[in-house]
Amino acid sequence: MAPTYDVIVLGLGGMGSAAAHHLAARGARVLGLEKFGPVHHRGSSHGGSRITRQSYFEDPAYVPLLLRSYELYEKLERDTGREIATLCGGVMLGRPDSRTVRGSLESARQWDLPHEMLEPEEIRRRFPTLTPAADEVALYEARAGLVRPEHTVAAHLQLAGQDGAELHFEEPVTRWEELPGGAGVRVHTPENTYTAGQLVICPGAWAPQLLTDLGVPFTIERQVMYWFAPDGGTAPFVPDRHPIYIWEDDRGVQIYGFPSIDGPDGGAKVAFFRKGTVCTPETIERTVHDHEVRAMADQLAPRIPALPGRFLKAATCMYSNTPDEHFVITRHPAHPETVTVACGFSGHGFKFVPVVGEIVADLALTGATAHPIELFDPRRPAAAAA
């Protein structure tokens, strides 16, 4: 008997919703399975805003994917009428030899990206909310900004449904297996058993549980996002006056933040980058403690003095880290005929959501992609490091 679906997508968060959209748009019969409700707040695709930028300090190899992702975000807005991206400009701040500044400049130069290097006086003149130290500089990128994760997921789910994808929520997958001879896959849930020619796994923080045979030692980290009401109100922090930023101190500690995008009572969001605690999706502590709020306020005070005026709220999410902090996007080495995986986005993946959906659709339907994804092979030595 022929499989019921062409592709089953396991997980409908950021990457899974994009994959479902791109697969359905190409005419595939798609079933999407999600253990929670649509656009939920239990994983990583929430929090109101995520930074997007092109001068990428992590590695210049990401830049071609970012350029395509920008195109796809614009198309997503046109196709759905949803507000998704706000390109308010961004500054990457720190000492000239910091990873944040040095790496951003390397990518900008290698790919001839428009940018400016700003000295402290110019930073303060353009952005009076920021108070860099005398030995700190910034790379300014006008095309940097933010994307809204909940709007993005909702838009991809909307388009997937319009193109015929069958989307099941509150239906967790209990197990799956490859059919004999690589003829497809069988996926089990408490409600039913489904068959398909291909399986796409976008597990987010559940990667260690669902992809134990991938050979990558994923680490799940609890991260905290904070919102503060600035002293004097949010007017100086609106997107046409205040940029997104990533700011690295002399110890290598990075914070990142956003303009105020949710009105005068919404405050401005800020967080530490890679200063989380190891957890699992089942053991993550959702309560944010006073000492955590104080640590964030203390880091902000000398840099953005008006921002830690009044704490408003906090929320948790999870990073799914690989040892080298690069992604895993591939045909599954143990199931190369039937299974595609996209995971391990290590806290910097959301800006790539649309292009990852496109890549996953390529891999699931044709077995290959024209996009450069060699960096994301799970068999790279750095991905398997203990």
Side-chain angles (χ1 to χ4, degrees):
M1 186 170 123
T4 307
Y5 301 95
D6 295 320
V7 187
I8 295 174
V9 179
L10 194 165
L12 293 173
M15 305 304 175
S17 64
H21 157 53
H22 282 280
L23 288 162
R26 300 185 195 185
R29 295 170 298 164
V30 177
L31 170 65
L33 296 172
E34 167 59 53
K35 71 183 298 181
F36 302 114
V39 198
H40 65 82
H41 292 68
R42 302 290 295 277
S44 304
S45 300
H46 61 278
S49 56
R50 291 289 187 275
I51 283 177
T52 189
R53 52 194 165 90
Q54 296 178 356
S55 301
Y56 215 61
F57 66 77
E58 287 84 350
D59 196 303
Y62 285 89
V63 173
L65 299 178
L66 286 162
L67 298 177
R68 178 57 176 159
S69 194
Y70 269 60
E71 294 174 348
L72 291 172
Y73 267 122
E74 291 175 4
K75 184 175 187 301
L76 190 62
E77 287 187 315
R78 292 194 304 269
D79 290 347
T80 64
R82 295 177 184 267
E83 179 188 0
I84 293 175
T86 301
L87 301 185
C88 57
V91 284
M92 311 300 126
L93 298 118
R95 291 179 173 177
D97 62 348
S98 66
R99 183 190 184 201
T100 302
V101 175
R102 176 178 43 80
S104 298
L105 184 58
E106 179 184 359
S107 283
R109 287 174 170 170
Q110 180 170 326
W111 292 98
D112 196 24
L113 301 173
H115 68 282
E116 299 175 69
M117 294 303 301
L118 307 181
E119 295 297 322
E121 298 79 8
E122 182 65 9
I123 299 169
R124 289 191 288 267
R125 187 188 71 79
R126 290 200 198 182
F127 309 112
T129 52
L130 308 180
T131 58
D135 61 350
E136 292 182 320
V137 298
L139 180 143
Y140 173 71
E141 178 188 323
R143 292 278 289 167
L146 62 97
V147 294
R148 296 177 178 261
E150 290 91 344
H151 293 196
T152 300
V153 175
H156 281 135
L157 293 176
Q158 173 190 330
L159 294 178
Q162 289 175 0
D163 286 329
E166 190 177 321
L167 307 176
H168 294 192
F169 299 96
E170 307 290 348
E171 187 172 350
V173 170
T174 55
R175 61 187 177 92
W176 63 271
E177 66 263 4
E178 193 171 36
L179 296 174
V185 293
R186 185 180 293 113
V187 176
H188 303 269
T189 77
E191 284 74 30
N192 213 330
T193 297
Y194 307 97
T195 58
Q198 295 288 320
L199 176 64
V200 167
I201 304 177
C202 299
W206 286 262
Q209 303 169 18
L210 296 173
L211 293 171
T212 56
D213 58 347
L214 196 59
V216 178
F218 299 103
T219 301
I220 308 305
E221 280 189 358
R222 170 187 179 268
Q223 303 290 334
V224 182
M225 303 170 282
Y226 305 84
W227 285 259
F228 290 90
D231 286 335
T234 57
F237 287 83
V238 295
D240 60 353
R241 300 179 67 183
H242 182 76
I244 63 95
Y245 55 90
I246 301 176
W247 203 325
E248 182 175 340
D249 70 13
D250 57 5
R251 301 165 297 161
V253 174
Q254 293 167 304
I255 61 171
Y256 65 95
F258 301 83
S260 176
I261 59 173
D262 295 318
D265 299 324
K269 176 184 165 186
V270 67
F272 285 105
F273 189 40
R274 307 199 185 287
K275 195 181 178 185
T277 55
V278 175
C279 68
T280 71
E282 292 74 31
T283 63
I284 180 173
E285 185 174 7
R286 299 288 182 179
T287 300
V288 177
H289 300 281
D290 290 344
H291 70 86
E292 295 177 295
V293 176
R294 287 195 300 271
M296 186 78 259
D298 289 345
Q299 191 77 6
L300 283 171
R303 296 169 177 85
I304 312 177
L307 188 51
R310 180 167 55 89
F311 171 66
L312 296 176
K313 64 177 181 177
T316 58
C317 69
M318 289 177 282
Y319 286 1
S320 306
N321 297 326
T322 63
D324 61 1
E325 298 174 358
H326 294 310
F327 309 157
V328 173
I329 309 174
T330 185
R331 297 287 274 180
H332 196 305
H335 309 281
E337 301 300 319
T338 56
V339 181
T340 300
V341 298
C343 57
F345 290 95
S346 302
H348 62 114
F350 201 90
K351 59 186 72 63
F352 298 90
V353 157
V355 72
V356 170
E358 187 171 68
I359 292 167
V360 167
D362 291 343
L363 295 176
L365 297 179
T366 71
T369 182
H371 288 294
I373 62 169
E374 294 79 10
L375 184 62
F376 310 139
D377 190 325
R379 292 162 292 192
R380 64 189 187 267

